Every structure is written in C-alpha cells, then in structure tokens.
Amino acid sequence: MEDVTNSKTFSDVKKVVASAHRNTSAADKIKFYDSWASNYDQDVGILEYRAPQLAAQSLVRHFPEERSNIQVLDVACGTGLVAAQLNKYGFGIIHGIDGSKTMLEQAKGKGLYQDLKQCMMGNDPLPVVTASYDAVIIVGGLSEGQVPCSVIPELCRVTKPGGYICMTVLTSTSNITYWRQLQGMLKQLEQQGLWEQVDVQQVNEWMKAVSEEESTGSPYTSGIIYLYKKCTLRQSQQT
C-alpha cells in the first residue's frame, strides 16, 4: 500500500499554508493548527523552511560559553522545531508557549522542553513571571493573521535585563503591512529605553514561496531576523 504521508507534493503544502494565513477568528486559527499539527514538520520540510535554524544560530553567537544553564522561552513554539535547533547547540533549559493544544502535544513528544503552556499570544499576557529568561525567541509567529504585534512588549517584559530577544518575520509582499507595524513597535520600545537593537539579518531564501505575491523574482520568499538586548535598569534610566 502506498504511504500517503510521504507522497505529499509542494502543491499540496501550498494549499495548506494559504489556509494558515487567512484572516479568521482566533478560535478558527487554533482549530486549523490543531488539525495541522501531525503533518506540520513534514510540510515545512517540503517548504525548506530555514527560520528555526537561522534564529537559533543568531542566539548562539551571543552565548559563546556554556549554554546548558541558559533559560530560553520559545514563544509560538508549535511542534518544537526551534527547540530541536537550540538543543543541537547545547541550550539545556527550554520552555515553550503556543495557542494550539495539539501543537503542544507534538512538542512534548520531542522531549526537549522542561515546561509547556497554552496561551493566546497577543490577546493575553504571557503566563510568565517578569524578567524570567536569559533569551526569548519567536519564530514564524509574527505575520499577518498569526500572532499580533501586541505581543512584542510581553517578549521584552519576560526577558531578564541584559538578556536577548530574537524575532523573525516574513518580508514578502503579503506581509508588508504587518512588517511595518512590527517595525514601529520595535522602534517604540527602543525609544522608551527598554531594549537596544543588536543585529538585523536579512535572509533572501527564507522558504519556498507559496504564491507569486510572496516571490521576489526567485522561488523563495525573504525574511528578517531581529535580535534585541533588554536594557538594564541603569541603561533605562540613562535614556
């Protein structure tokens, strides 16, 4: 008998991703991700999705020493693709938050997280004590119809002073409005003295484009990795 799970094509996955980016209610979005969870890793593999690896590498450069005791919060963690990359680089304490219970079940099955919580990011405060983590990372969630930009101050809040916040965002045409809103939010927190920009990495081959609108003359869509460092109290007082 033919293994249907291994016969999926790029065209099949394009249809799924198109559904993911529709503007639907939060409840409908969660239902969609619950239904996608079991096939998610396979589908994004077909898309050659590089963001988890690239974002993890961005953090690695700023934690050059022993990483086993570094506490990382993976926001919109999904099935745990980011944790798998962080684990390769020796990060030993990884907690995750996601809105989809079924995605969290997939993540739990990987055995890489010490704690997993369900939360509607952007609508509710993150269920985390202020200044808890050495690093906070969100990969793939910051786009139109996904996690709203209102989550950004929460990412900063739960990071320890001197800690790092790593964020990825699609820069394709379909996500331009969201990207501009995100840039405004990032700048606002910088002007408030809450964090400082450390690095911006533009990536041309983020993943395979799933529509002509997302393609910029190549078969791939582009993205950006932002890295910020949370200011200490003294730095905040000086701004």
Side-chain angles (χ1 to χ4, degrees):
M1 181 180 294
E2 181 184 7
D3 187 347
V4 177
T5 60
N6 290 327
S7 63
K8 239 181 182 180
T9 66
F10 177 53
S11 295
D12 295 329
V13 177
K14 284 201 297 184
K15 294 175 184 177
V16 175
V17 175
S19 299
H21 291 279
R22 287 176 186 154
N23 285 318
T24 58
S25 68
D28 288 340
K29 188 71 66 179
I30 293 303
K31 288 179 182 178
F32 170 79
Y33 276 101
D34 282 344
S35 67
W36 194 15
S38 61
N39 294 318
Y40 182 82
D41 288 7
Q42 177 197 1
D43 288 356
V44 297
I46 292 172
L47 292 176
E48 299 179 19
Y49 183 48
R50 301 174 62 213
Q53 176 186 357
L54 296 173
Q57 290 172 348
S58 178
L59 275 184
V60 164
R61 290 192 288 270
H62 296 276
F63 291 98
E65 306 298 331
E66 173 62 38
R67 304 184 189 109
S68 61
N69 293 320
I70 299 297
Q71 299 182 63
V72 183
L73 178 65
D74 182 7
V75 180
C77 66
T79 61
L81 294 178
V82 171
Q85 293 296 324
L86 292 172
N87 182 258
K88 288 180 182 178
Y89 292 108
F91 288 94
I93 305 173
I94 310 171
H95 296 175
I97 294 176
D98 199 84
S100 164
K101 181 180 179 180
T102 311
M103 284 280 194
L104 289 170
E105 290 171 353
Q106 292 287 325
K108 183 178 180 179
K110 288 185 169 70
L112 300 174
Y113 293 95
Q114 288 70 49
D115 184 63
L116 288 164
K117 290 185 173 73
Q118 187 175 7
C119 173
M120 288 297 296
M121 287 84 66
N123 295 329
D124 302 323
L126 296 179
V128 175
V129 175
T130 297
S132 296
Y133 292 93
D134 301 297
V136 174
I137 188 167
I138 180 167
V139 175
L142 298 176
S143 64
E144 195 69 47
Q146 304 297 312
V147 180
C149 290
S150 55
V151 76
I152 299 301
E154 281 292 286
L155 304 181
C156 184
R157 177 184 68 80
V158 303
T159 306
K160 295 177 182 178
Y164 292 89
I165 303 97
C166 181
M167 299 160 281
T168 73
V169 62
L170 279 171
T171 56
S172 56
T173 303
S174 61
N175 204 44
I176 287 295
T177 300
Y178 183 98
W179 180 29
R180 287 172 179 166
Q181 292 173 348
L182 176 65
Q183 287 176 307
M185 182 69 75
L186 300 180
K187 190 66 176 178
Q188 181 180 338
L189 267 63
E190 192 168 14
Q191 291 171 342
Q192 292 172 355
L194 296 177
W195 63 15
E196 58 184 3
Q197 189 178 92
V198 175
D199 190 27
V200 179
Q201 181 183 353
Q202 297 189 12
V203 181
N204 291 328
E205 295 186 358
W206 193 256
M207 67 178 185
K208 286 184 177 178
V210 296
S211 68
E212 291 185 5
E213 186 181 18
E214 291 188 351
S215 178
T216 54
S218 82
Y220 294 88
T221 188
S222 58
I224 286 184
I225 302 169
Y226 291 102
L227 190 69
Y228 281 78
K229 184 175 183 178
K230 184 172 179 177
C231 295
T232 62
L233 179 60
R234 178 176 293 181
Q235 287 174 312
S236 298
Q237 291 173 340
Q238 290 174 345
T239 58

